[in-house]
Amino acid sequence: PEPITRTASKTPGPGVWTTDTDPTRARTKWIWIMSKRDSETAGLEMNQNEKKNKPEGEAHVSDGKYAHKGQHKNHGDKDGHEHGHVSKEDHKHVHGDKDGHEHGHGDKDGHKHEHGNKDTHEHGHGHGHSDKDGHECTKEGCDQKHGHGHSHGDGHGHEHHRYKVKANVEKANQEFSEGQKFFNMGQLSNALRLFTLSIKSMGFPSQEEIRDDPNCAAQALEQISGATWLILYYRAITFFKLGNFTDASQDAGRALKLFERRFKNKAPTEEEKQNYASTLWVRGSSLMEFGAYKEAQKHVSKAVDLNPNNPAWVEALETIEEQVEHSKKMAEIEAKRMPVTIITGFLGSGKTTLVNHILSAKHGMKLAVIENEYGQENIDEALLGNKRKETSNEVIVEASNGCICCTVRGDLIKSVEKLCKEYKDLNGILIETTGMADPTPVAQTFYFDETVRQLARLDGIVTVVDSKHLLQNLAEKKQDGAVNECKQQLAFADVVLVNKTDLVSKEELSAVKSKIKGVNATAKLIETQRSKVDPSILLGINAFNVERVMNIQPDFLEDRETAHDESVTSFVIRLKAPVDMEEFQDWIHSILRVKSADLYRSKGLLYANGSENKFVFHTVHEIMEIEESVPWGENEKRQSTLVFIGKNLDRKAIEEELKSVIA
């Protein structure tokens, strides 16, 4: 592919100033582009102005249905909605559409407005707007135009209508009685079905209605008869016996609220007390399944107080108390251990840029960075113009000349121990791996070495991906037995930064995200450009989970060897004489035209002829960046240092070709 010269950005103020390097000359021109943040702010202001011009409609509840004030005229629209009015006494008209929606309207004194669709979703919001059809409120003294109160909600802050309870007590009692018979016979599925019907007959919303409108359950509990607590209690036990701890916990919690309301001013019978104790036990035992041991202890302890002679409950309480004590000890240990974040990603994805962004952000934390470079020399600090030494809130430790997951893993252990023991004021450690690292052995370090385990904990793995080249890197064929580092980096990620989104189309980005989800369905995806992201969503997130990792790689806690593709090599070339920048750009373009697939990454510091400033260059496959950097130091040795990483690279040929760029 034809090489692409990517602009290099700086941010002196709002928006982004970018340099656009001429591919044939060492000149720089400055252009202004609106930053994404500015464009989002502009969009927000526009939406706020629209809202100001759209007065909210007034919605209320009437007779258990969604209601709306405002007079509506007969009208149809392009989707074929037709309205039919009946007499004023009926206060109702309906229309339907191809999706099966049904609407009911009344008059200004209490319009009924109800929607339902083929999926039985019912939820609502009211909003007002002026339109060409002239929907107007004829309420005296009101000169504003109003729109419909529609029975569908979205994420734009529309008001939702309150749920209205309608009960058929006789039907509910009959269904409950039938359900108890099946429960006593051990036919739990039939019992669950009838208990659910009984609860619905008492006016409580169905599971589907609660999923569509989470507020309706709390609204129903305020209105429903307190006697419903017993049906909810039986359904909670049934759920629990069937292993559905989520719904068991919810129903038990609802039953407890109704019980306490029902018996607020009167004493329960002995049987009712025992049922209350059982409800407490179900709630506590369900919470224990979620790891909420303190809350579980409260509920089961109350249950045992009411029924101290139940050995199963006493045993459960002892187990929970042991877990609570264990959790306290673990919390004390966790508080003392240093949180460590692994930042990984394939070559050229933007890891170093991310680390530098984190270090320069105003977060008030003191961080240590353990760097690893796949090759003989780490030149990233020089490429950044020594920016990392401008602040005292960081400690940099290098583990170079090898892969951190293989040959320098011992250096990693020593570095973590040293940082934890000597820098007591640190808030965290960042480990920036090489682009060729398999994160598995790096993560294992925190479980294989006891000293490290006591001093530090793995907080999370952040993987940076290059949107432009991810699919290519994942599809690359490796030598037999060699690991695909890019795939491993994705599989172990807790957070994935989908970086360089400015280099791909919307369709390409969608394909990239879909591929990531195919490798790791649980990771949080964050779209970025130049690795700019709020550090708070990457650090201190307590996201690493051993069980999830062992589902991916069952031998995670066993000894294993990481085999890399031996055809991938790296080397450094130094040029003492200054280079002609025009000749260098022509040369690197020619290399990328024929070797971009195999040249994974190159980067370097250039000693340019006729300039007192350093020049920095980066390539990732066919993408190239060259920008002017800081001046050379007065006593600094001037020379060009170039790093190349790729497959089947001919070092001697590259060295020979570079002689042609010397001025």
Side-chain angles (χ1 to χ4, degrees):
E2 190 67 21
I4 301 170
T5 301
R6 191 183 184 208
T7 58
S9 69
K10 297 181 180 180
T11 53
V16 179
W17 285 100
T18 72
T19 65
D20 187 8
T21 304
D22 189 318
T24 59
R25 299 189 182 185
R27 292 181 180 174
T28 299
K29 59 181 180 180
W30 295 93
I31 17 179
W32 168 262
I33 60 173
M34 176 179 279
S35 69
K36 185 177 180 183
R37 180 177 180 183
D38 291 335
S39 62
E40 289 174 347
T41 303
L44 177 61
E45 291 172 351
M46 181 182 69
N47 291 337
Q48 290 174 339
N49 290 333
E50 286 178 353
K51 288 182 179 179
K52 290 178 182 177
N53 295 327
K54 286 186 177 183
E56 293 291 326
E58 183 180 353
H60 66 100
V61 179
S62 175
D63 297 331
K65 303 295 183 183
Y66 301 130
H68 184 77
K69 288 185 178 179
Q71 188 179 42
H72 300 269
K73 298 181 179 180
N74 291 328
H75 64 279
D77 62 22
K78 61 182 180 181
D79 293 321
H81 293 73
E82 294 182 2
H83 298 252
H85 291 263
V86 291
S87 66
K88 188 173 182 180
E89 288 72 24
D90 291 309
H91 301 319
K92 189 173 183 182
H93 67 279
V94 298
H95 63 82
D97 63 18
K98 60 184 178 181
D99 295 319
H101 293 76
E102 292 186 1
H103 305 255
H105 291 257
D107 65 11
K108 64 179 182 179
D109 297 318
H111 289 61
K112 296 180 180 179
H113 187 171
E114 54 180 333
H115 286 213
N117 63 22
K118 56 189 175 184
D119 298 319
T120 67
H121 297 306
E122 293 185 6
H123 54 291
H125 64 75
H127 67 271
H129 59 274
S130 300
D131 62 23
K132 62 182 180 181
D133 295 315
H135 294 70
E136 296 180 335
C137 176
T138 57
K139 185 176 179 180
E140 186 176 355
C142 179
D143 59 359
Q144 292 182 328
K145 294 185 178 182
H146 298 267
H148 294 284
H150 297 277
S151 69
H152 59 276
D154 58 20
H156 300 293
H158 292 84
E159 178 185 356
H160 287 261
H161 299 272
R162 290 182 62 80
Y163 183 88
K164 184 70 174 179
V165 168
K166 277 191 172 183
N168 185 334
V169 178
E170 183 178 348
K171 185 170 181 287
N173 284 336
Q174 183 179 353
E175 290 161 340
F176 177 54
S177 179
E178 291 295 318
Q180 283 182 304
K181 292 177 184 177
F182 283 114
F183 182 86
N184 293 332
M185 291 187 293
Q187 297 183 23
L188 298 181
S189 295
N190 286 329
L192 179 63
R193 177 177 57 82
L194 285 160
F195 291 151
T196 299
L197 289 173
S198 177
I199 291 169
K200 180 64 178 172
S201 295
M202 289 298 290
F204 196 77
S206 66
Q207 301 289 81
E208 290 77 12
E209 289 174 308
I210 294 171
R211 277 195 289 267
D212 291 337
D213 180 8
N215 295 324
C216 68
Q219 293 166 2
L221 284 176
E222 295 175 0
Q223 309 167 50
I224 204 167
S225 168
T228 313
W229 84 271
L230 189 61
I231 315 174
L232 284 165
Y233 153 67
Y234 265 92
R235 190 171 75 166
I237 293 179
T238 308
F239 274 133
F240 189 84
K241 287 177 177 289
L242 290 171
N244 183 343
F245 303 114
T246 303
D247 288 322
S249 174
Q250 289 292 323
D251 272 355
R254 293 161 184 158
L256 291 173
K257 288 181 180 179
L258 291 178
F259 180 92
E260 289 161 6
R261 190 183 79 194
R262 181 173 177 80
F263 296 103
K264 185 177 181 180
N265 298 316
K266 65 175 182 179
T269 65
E270 192 59 35
E271 182 180 357
E272 287 168 334
K273 283 183 180 179
Q274 291 305 309
N275 288 338
Y276 175 65
S278 295
T279 311
L280 287 166
W281 183 82
V282 170
R283 173 71 168 171
S285 298
S286 298
L287 290 172
M288 185 173 66
E289 295 293 331
F290 305 145
Y293 297 113
K294 285 187 178 181
E295 282 299 311
Q297 183 184 26
K298 290 179 185 178
H299 287 81
V300 176
S301 179
K302 285 183 181 179
V304 171
D305 288 344
L306 291 169
N307 191 349
N309 298 320
N310 189 318
W313 294 6
V314 172
E315 184 179 351
L317 180 59
E318 290 174 352
T319 301
I320 294 171
E321 287 174 341
E322 288 175 3
Q323 289 291 345
V324 170
E325 189 62 30
H326 176 70
S327 297
K328 286 181 181 178
K329 290 180 180 178
M330 289 303 297
E332 291 173 359
I333 294 173
E334 289 293 298
K336 295 177 182 178
R337 297 201 295 173
M338 185 76 68
V340 178
T341 302
I342 296 174
I343 297 178
T344 189
F346 203 65
L347 296 162
S349 59
K351 300 181 297 298
T352 300
T353 306
L354 173 62
V355 170
N356 193 51
H357 171 66
I358 292 173
L359 294 181
S360 60
K362 294 181 179 179
H363 43 59
M365 294 186 289
K366 183 168 184 178
L367 302 170
V369 179
I370 300 174
E371 294 178 329
N372 176 225
E373 182 68 19
Y374 185 78
Q376 301 169 355
E377 186 172 346
N378 187 349
I379 65 168
D380 285 334
E381 186 173 315
L383 297 182
L384 292 167
N386 297 318
K387 292 177 183 177
R388 293 185 178 180
K389 293 186 177 179
E390 293 176 1
T391 172
S392 61
N393 284 335
E394 66 212 35
V395 181
I396 309 295
V397 178
E398 293 185 8
S400 298
N401 198 23
C403 179
I404 201 169
C405 70
C406 309
T407 57
V408 295
R409 186 172 169 190
D411 288 351
L412 171 62
I413 294 172
K414 292 175 184 176
S415 298
V416 171
E417 289 183 16
K418 179 178 180 179
L419 289 170
C420 291
K421 291 178 179 178
E422 296 184 13
Y423 296 89
K424 300 294 186 181
D425 58 342
L426 282 179
N427 300 114
I429 298 173
L430 307 180
I431 298 176
E432 180 190 350
T433 76
T434 169
M436 296 299 294
D438 175 0
T440 312
V442 186
Q444 283 178 326
T445 303
F446 297 88
Y447 297 90
F448 276 20
D449 188 274
E450 181 60 21
T451 303
V452 171
R453 192 191 71 80
Q454 291 181 3
L455 293 172
R457 64 177 178 83
L458 184 51
D459 185 63
I461 297 179
V462 178
T463 298
V464 188
V465 302
D466 176 355
S467 300
K468 181 71 175 177
H469 300 107
L470 176 69
L471 300 182
Q472 175 183 336
N473 294 333
L474 287 173
E476 185 177 1
K477 291 183 179 180
K478 299 285 186 178
Q479 291 180 342
D480 290 343
V483 66
N484 185 316
E485 295 88 359
C486 184
K487 187 173 182 179
Q488 284 291 95
Q489 291 160 0
L490 273 182
F492 274 71
D494 299 301
V495 179
V496 176
L497 294 194
V498 187
N499 198 29
K500 303 187 182 182
T501 56
D502 55 320
L503 297 181
V504 295
S505 65
K506 289 183 179 180
E507 293 74 19
E508 289 171 325
L509 181 59
S510 178
V512 166
K513 292 167 69 174
S514 178
K515 191 68 175 179
I516 293 171
K517 284 296 184 183
V519 177
N520 186 334
T522 61
K524 180 178 181 180
L525 270 58
I526 303 171
E527 296 177 25
T528 60
Q529 294 180 19
R530 300 191 181 275
S531 301
K532 290 184 178 179
V533 65
D534 182 356
S536 66
I537 61 180
L538 306 179
L539 308 178
I541 56 177
N542 199 25
F544 187 79
N545 185 288
V546 176
E547 288 187 10
R548 183 187 75 82
V549 170
M550 293 189 73
N551 287 332
I552 302 168
Q553 193 161 304
D555 64 348
F556 173 69
L557 295 180
E558 299 174 15
D559 294 315
R560 60 189 297 275
E561 181 182 5
T562 298
H564 293 291
D565 189 335
E566 293 181 359
S567 66
V568 177
T569 58
S570 73
F571 52 86
V572 178
I573 296 176
R574 294 179 178 82
L575 302 175
K576 295 181 180 180
V579 301
D580 183 302
M581 289 300 295
E582 185 174 341
E583 292 292 338
F584 177 81
Q585 290 182 88
D586 288 342
W587 174 79
I588 196 69
H589 267 86
S590 67
I591 287 289
L592 296 181
R593 283 191 183 97
V594 296
K595 292 287 291 181
S596 63
D598 290 338
L599 182 57
Y600 297 155
R601 183 84 165 97
S602 69
K603 54 187 175 180
L605 202 62
L606 300 176
Y607 171 25
N609 185 43
S611 175
E612 291 299 313
N613 291 339
K614 303 172 184 177
F615 278 77
V616 173
F617 89 94
H618 298 268
T619 73
V620 181
H621 292 292
E622 76 277 15
I623 306 296
M624 181 185 75
E625 289 186 23
I626 299 179
E627 68 173 320
E628 195 169 358
S629 185
V630 298
W632 291 96
E634 185 176 347
N635 299 317
E636 189 174 1
K637 184 178 181 181
R638 299 193 182 193
Q639 66 176 7
S640 297
T641 305
L642 303 89
V643 177
F644 297 90
I645 306 172
K647 180 185 287 188
N648 301 318
L649 299 181
D650 189 337
R651 175 172 181 164
K652 290 184 178 179
I654 292 176
E655 284 179 325
E656 191 64 29
E657 291 172 4
L658 278 172
K659 292 178 181 178
S660 66
V661 308
I662 294 175

